[in-house]
Amino acid sequence: MLLLQKLIGARYLNKGYAAVAGSLNSSFESPRDNEGHGSHTLSTAGGSFVAGANVFGYGNGTAKGGSPKARVATYKVCWPPVAGNQCFDADILAAFDIAIHDGVDVLSVSLGGVPVQFFNDGLAIGSFHAIMHGIVVVCSGGNSGPADGTVANLAPWQITVGASTIDREFPSYVVLGNNMRFKGQSLSIKALPNKKFFPIISAADAKAANASTADA
């Protein structure tokens, strides 16, 4: 019952994707979030109050989204990559149209790419239509920073937001045999034994069997 009071709508749009990917099986006929990105961004925007939230016991407190008492609806437009793309303009524009018809008050759009001219940008066009219907559109600034000129979603009718930093640290120290100390960050709940030294190795040599050297 609590879920139905929070999530009051869920739709999926995939005709643009199917036009490139070809025939889709039944697993694509669902708004279910199989990756986690949509659930993450939706909870950031409108997640309810959750007491006792922490990461491995660190940073314990109450977590919440930007508008914790809001009711939310989700519109799934992104799918597994095909032809170098996951989110097609046809599906994005269809989602904007349906959201406008559904009567939403605010649209939180965590999508973006390389900036292009507004008349070629599905997000800019869709958000303009939403704005003309009195709907506030909040878009992500992208993940390409911090270099200059890397912000996405630049249309003046969009509210563009990006990640920031906090003053909280989770420090961890490496002490060498000559007593030199190097400060880093770690959320590990385990510590190495005191007064026992270990060789310094490359992270690539310690990677998991299914991990790439770049990820290591």
Side-chain angles (χ1 to χ4, degrees), residues 47-72:
S48 299
F49 292 96
V50 178
N54 63 77
V55 179
F56 302 129
Y58 293 100
N60 191 64
T62 299
K64 70 177 185 66
S67 183
K69 293 187 177 181
R71 290 180 170 85
V72 299

Side-chain angles (χ1 to χ4, degrees), residues 5-209:
Q5 291 176 351
K6 168 58 74 172
L7 181 64
I8 60 173
R11 299 178 183 266
Y12 65 92
L13 299 305
N14 62 14
K15 290 184 178 179
Y17 177 80
V20 177
S23 179
L24 304 177
N25 62 42
S26 60
S27 68
F28 290 86
E29 306 299 318
S30 169
R32 182 178 295 278
D33 179 13
N34 297 316
E35 185 185 69
H37 178 267
S39 300
H40 159 66
T41 55
L42 190 61
S43 63
T44 300
S48 299
F49 292 96
V50 178
N54 63 77
V55 179
F56 302 129
Y58 293 100
N60 191 64
T62 299
K64 70 177 185 66
S67 183
K69 293 187 177 181
R71 290 180 170 85
V72 299
T74 180
Y75 301 83
K76 182 176 180 177
V77 300
C78 295
W79 307 92
V82 60
N85 200 353
Q86 291 180 268
C87 320
F88 288 83
D89 278 355
D91 298 326
I92 293 170
L93 288 169
F96 271 109
D97 284 345
I98 293 173
I100 292 169
H101 180 268
D102 287 346
V104 303
D105 298 301
V106 178
L107 274 166
S108 176
V109 186
S110 188
L111 302 173
V114 178
V116 296
Q117 295 293 329
F118 294 153
F119 52 78
N120 288 327
D121 186 341
L123 281 171
I125 296 168
S127 60
F128 183 81
H129 282 280
I131 290 294
M132 294 302 292
H133 284 81
I135 300 169
V136 175
V137 181
V138 184
C139 295
S140 60
N143 300 321
S144 300
D148 295 340
T150 54
V151 176
N153 297 320
L154 302 173
W157 49 86
Q158 298 169 335
I159 298 175
T160 305
V161 299
S164 184
T165 58
I166 59 174
D167 60 358
R168 175 179 288 170
E169 290 187 331
F170 301 98
S172 183
Y173 297 89
V174 172
V175 183
L176 302 185
N178 60 1
N179 288 325
M180 291 185 65
R181 291 166 57 89
F182 295 90
K183 180 181 177 182
Q185 304 286 334
S186 176
L187 291 174
S188 174
I189 59 176
K190 296 181 179 179
L192 295 175
N194 289 327
K195 297 182 180 180
K196 183 176 181 180
F197 290 94
F198 297 86
I200 297 176
I201 63 172
S202 168
D205 296 330
K207 69 181 182 66

